[in-house]
Amino acid sequence: MDAMDEELKCPVCGSLFRDPIILPCSHNVCMACARNIIVQTPEGDNLPHSRASASSDYDYLDMDKMSLYSETDSGYGSYTPCLKSPNGVRVFPPAPMHRHCSITCPLCHRSVSVDERGLRGFPRNRLLEAIVSRYQQSRAVSVKCQLCDRNPVEATVMCEQCDVFYCTPCVEHDLENHSMYCVSCRTPVCYQCLEEGKHGQHDVKALGIMWKQHKSQLSQALNGVSDKAKDAKEFLVQLKNLLQQIQENGVEFEACLVAQCDALIDALTRQKAKLLTKVTKEREYKLKVVRDQITHCTMKLRQTTGLMEYCLEVMKENDPSGFLQISDALIKRVQSSQDQWVKGALEPKVCSEFDLSLNSDPLLQSIHQLDFLQIKYPYTVPPAPELQLEKCCTRNNSATLAWRIPTFSQSPLEGYVLELDDGSGGQYREVYVGKETVCTVDGLHFNSSYNARVKAYNSTGVGPYSKTVILKTSDVAWFTFDPSSAHRDIVLSNDNQTVSCSSYDDRVVLGTAAFSKGVHYWELAVDRYDNHPDPAFGVARINTIKDMMLGKDDKAWAMYVDNNRSWFMHGNSHTNRAEGGICKGSSVGILLDLNKHTLTFFINKEQHGPVAFENLDGVFMPAISLNRNVQMSQDTGESPEIIQEEAAVILEEMAHRLQLSVVLGLVVFNVFSSCDMFATIKLNLSTGHTPVEFFLEGTRSRTGKTLTPKLGLLNIVMEPFFKGEVFDISLVPISISYERVLEEALYARELLGVPKPKETTSGLIKARKILSEDYGSIHVYFGQPVSIRSLAQGQISRSQYNLVPRHIPRKPGEDTQAFVNNTAYRIERLQEDNMVLRPWVLIATILMQNLEGIDFAILTEKTAWLRGLAQSFGAFLDWPEHESTGKVVSSSVALHHDIVGCVGDRVVLLEGSQEAVSPEEAVFTRAVTVLMCASYRNQVMHMFIRPALVAVALHAAGSSRKEDIYSYFHFLWNVFANEFILCPGRTVQDFEEACYLLVKCGTVQILKQDIVVTESGHPVLSFLSAILEPFLHGYQVCVTFGHVTIQ
């Protein structure tokens, strides 16, 4: 009961209630306290009457509008806190009962007039008395009244001023039990009150009933309060959790802020080190120039001084003839010495000032402006959504897009608006408005590229658009039969690729794809054909009639055919009867050419009749009608993805069969044994009628980078020359360059450990889509023949072969093996030098150094710069004439649309087109794309590898001394000897060649024993270091985790 202690205390005296009465405002006061707070009101003022008066309703609204009178003229009490009246009620001495008296509630300050009955007009709160009594009994031992002389009863009241306990004084009808309840007066009454007629006109009910009713009402009210209390407790828990979260987030945010500031400090420290390095290099350069000039000037001064002293001694001689003998020579020497001190010889070559200026004002200004992003109310429009490229994809003629709002946004969000253009670069139109962040748009054109963008909106307004993403729909349609729009008698099976009918009447079924432009062809196979029915094939609108033969209404264009003949039908009009029908096993082809707006039919791969329909325009769906005597199936049961993969395998095989040097590998090895092969090669070389073609690398390169040579076949080819069986052998290096490699995705997956798919003959037939792709150009370059006889002069001695019969095979000597090895590397170098490079390989090189994407304008600028650098290095570039760099870059990106794409103004590597992939699959897909791009970057490595080794050596050496740089170059050369085509024993030549190329492009200057980087050379060195960086990281990983030792 301790919690309700305050509920049991009088608001006037602050003690437990004694004879509490209920005021009209439902608050309680002690009877004695009520007598003390009665005040007089001026005559004529009409205050509301008490409930004991004639009016039974208490108007709280009027009481709120009532104004209080001052103490001086009305007797109203002022409410100021005092010790014995905790609620601020000033207690007045008892006032005589006048006609115009009122009492003010000490809690709500509402006043009510007192009628002629005085305080007895207010009902006593007997329930509260009982509760107070129980409370007192539970708190302490009962105390007797201290004012009763005889037989004191239990005290119920304590005077706080006198500190005296006394009993409750008696009031009227105290001896009567309350048995009834007056609803009008809202008070319990006894029978004596009823007999006196005080409540004769009131609604009086049994006390027990009203007690239960009010108890129920109080219980319900308590339930509501209990729920609020429960909510308050939960709210307190929530506030405590919020307090803890604020503490944790504050600590975390402070840690993030410290980390960000530390990162800025680290970046500034690193930049400081770089700048200090530049200053050090500049200082060393100036000091070296000045020291060299001092040495040179000192030497010339010493020579001049010696000559002067000698001349003075000569002039002291008195022998004229002797003087004249040497005078002419001395005069010339003095004049020559004077000529050495030409203008500028006595001027310093460098100044003491440093031509370096550091402008730190913008950085300081940025540091001073560094602050938190403040997003304050009222809310602004939401920011531009971010398109999730890894979830955006296309399938068939539908596109799925996914987006999200940036995490930093605190603006309210009501929904999104997704817009697509018309697939031809036209105006955008809204395709979705709502709160979802994933949307699939169906019914797009096939073989079209759509630009998509999304924006967010709220009550403030519409936010900016996201970056634009380009989605390309399938070139070739893939569809099945649509069960949702088919007639109920149609029966579909085999994943909706096989159709039959349960009725003898013709019923129509449509395909799931709709065509509005492009050329589309599909075939249907006749699985069952009984009793010579006449099924119909063609196209229709989506609302064509489904319960009769296709073509009988004006919304379908069809050919119906039986076992002997056929007719074209549209709008129930039959035209162009043609002989020849179908049977079980036949195939029916439909060619819908919406570029020419025609429809043509084929039976068993041959055109059947003339062009059936012309001037077709609009949206069409594949359609057939049949009855229960026919069963049809689509001719292929595999999706375009499966067809594309199988076609890639078939065409890969075809491509390799077309390549020169594969004949020997695929035919000779499979037909002959090793001895027969050896004999066949010798016979071909001896007669000279048939050239021998083979790969020096021994296998195909799946990385786009030339592999180190295998010497087996080259040894066999060169042995007839060593043994004198032929006079000479000419080796012709052949370089084949592909602008777009057909097997790029297959090679990337094989590098990642995915087994090569099984090759099937049927896959070639199903690969029509691959044949329609654009793979750019192929360059085949036949180099100048290389004479083995010329190369061997002075290198090897063939006399050793004369001591052994020619038919006896023998192992070649070390000098012969070295010669064959050097020849193989020489031929591969020639093949690399003759490689024709397309612009895409330069673009791929830049993209590999910007894996997160790059702006199109910056990509164009860097491509033009790299083109100039490659040409200065002697690259064999095939650059389109009379075309701007931007147009060249755009066409190259479009050709390699399976690797890169444009998102707004940025060019990015594609992330794949699958939905809801796992993290492992996402990483794998990303790796495939990066490897495909890297394979084109590798095609230029032969051109940059030697200067790149020098660039890395310059950075690692930390010195400009040529000797130190060569030491690091030699180490890197040995590391990558098996990675790139670096001819054995040519380390010095490669170093000099690389230095020459760097000097040629203005990157470095060679001053005697120093290599000095020019101001314009730093971008070139950064690029060359970056192009070698992935290979360095790869070797570092191998050394760290693969237990590999590099010597």
Side-chain angles (χ1 to χ4, degrees), residues 449 544 547 642 836 861-862:
S449 296
T544 187
D547 57 358
I642 298 177
V836 179
E861 179 182 354
K862 288 191 174 184

Side-chain angles (χ1 to χ4, degrees), residues 370-435:
L370 187 64
D371 201 352
F372 300 106
L373 293 175
Q374 298 290 340
I375 303 178
K376 301 180 179 179
Y377 294 98
Y379 287 120
T380 58
V381 296
E386 297 176 349
L387 287 168
Q388 297 180 273
L389 300 181
E390 67 276 6
K391 297 182 180 180
C392 297
C393 63
T394 58
R395 178 175 176 83
N396 220 6
N397 64 333
S398 65
T400 298
L401 296 103
W403 58 88
R404 64 187 175 194
I405 206 70
T407 55
F408 63 82
S409 173
Q410 297 183 7
S411 299
L413 186 67
E414 295 183 7
Y416 303 93
V417 178
L418 175 63
E419 296 182 357
L420 264 72
D421 65 359
D422 58 359
S424 301
Q427 293 183 351
Y428 284 88
R429 65 185 189 279
E430 294 184 359
V431 296
Y432 171 75
V433 178
K435 295 184 178 180

Side-chain angles (χ1 to χ4, degrees), residues 188-200:
V189 296
C190 62
Y191 280 105
Q192 186 175 350
C193 293
L194 294 178
E195 289 177 357
E196 292 177 357
K198 294 181 179 180
H199 303 277

Side-chain angles (χ1 to χ4, degrees), residues 295-308 341:
T295 302
H296 182 67
C297 185
T298 302
M299 182 181 64
K300 289 199 301 182
L301 180 61
R302 185 183 298 112
Q303 294 174 354
T304 303
T305 303
L307 180 61
M308 290 172 58
W341 302 98

Side-chain angles (χ1 to χ4, degrees), residues 332-348:
K332 290 181 179 179
R333 287 185 62 189
V334 171
Q335 291 176 348
S336 176
S337 178
Q338 184 179 0
D339 292 339
Q340 291 181 356
W341 302 98
V342 295
K343 183 179 181 180
L346 298 179
E347 296 178 358

Side-chain angles (χ1 to χ4, degrees), residues 561-578:
V561 57
D562 58 16
N563 61 325
N564 292 321
R565 61 191 67 83
S566 65
W567 292 264
F568 302 147
M569 184 166 61
H570 170 64
N572 205 21
S573 174
H574 307 256
T575 59
N576 295 97
R577 170 178 170 174

Side-chain angles (χ1 to χ4, degrees), residues 161-281:
Q161 295 178 351
C162 305
D163 198 17
V164 174
F165 293 92
Y166 56 92
C167 59
T168 304
C170 299
V171 294
E172 185 182 1
H173 300 161
D174 279 348
L175 299 177
E176 296 293 335
N177 293 326
H178 292 162
S179 60
M180 304 298 290
Y181 181 81
C182 179
V183 179
S184 302
C185 297
R186 298 183 180 180
T187 181
V189 296
C190 62
Y191 280 105
Q192 186 175 350
C193 293
L194 294 178
E195 289 177 357
E196 292 177 357
K198 294 181 179 180
H199 303 277
Q201 302 298 326
H202 296 174
D203 184 11
V204 180
K205 294 184 179 181
L207 185 65
I209 296 176
M210 294 306 297
W211 173 62
K212 292 182 179 179
Q213 181 179 347
H214 281 214
K215 201 171 185 179
S216 175
Q217 293 177 357
L218 179 60
S219 177
Q220 293 178 359
L222 284 175
N223 289 336
V225 174
S226 176
D227 292 339
K228 295 298 182 182
K230 182 179 179 181
D231 294 341
K233 291 181 180 179
E234 294 177 353
F235 181 63
L236 285 174
V237 173
Q238 181 180 354
L239 290 177
K240 292 179 181 179
N241 293 335
L242 180 61
L243 186 65
Q244 183 179 359
Q245 289 177 1
I246 292 175
Q247 293 286 354
E248 295 175 354
N249 291 343
V251 174
E252 182 179 355
F253 190 79
E254 289 177 358
C256 292
L257 178 61
V258 171
Q260 288 178 317
C261 292
D262 290 345
L264 293 176
I265 295 173
D266 292 341
L268 188 60
T269 304
R270 290 193 298 270
Q271 191 64 24
K272 172 186 173 182
K274 291 182 180 179
L275 295 176
L276 289 175
T277 302
K278 290 184 179 180
V279 173
T280 302
K281 290 183 178 180

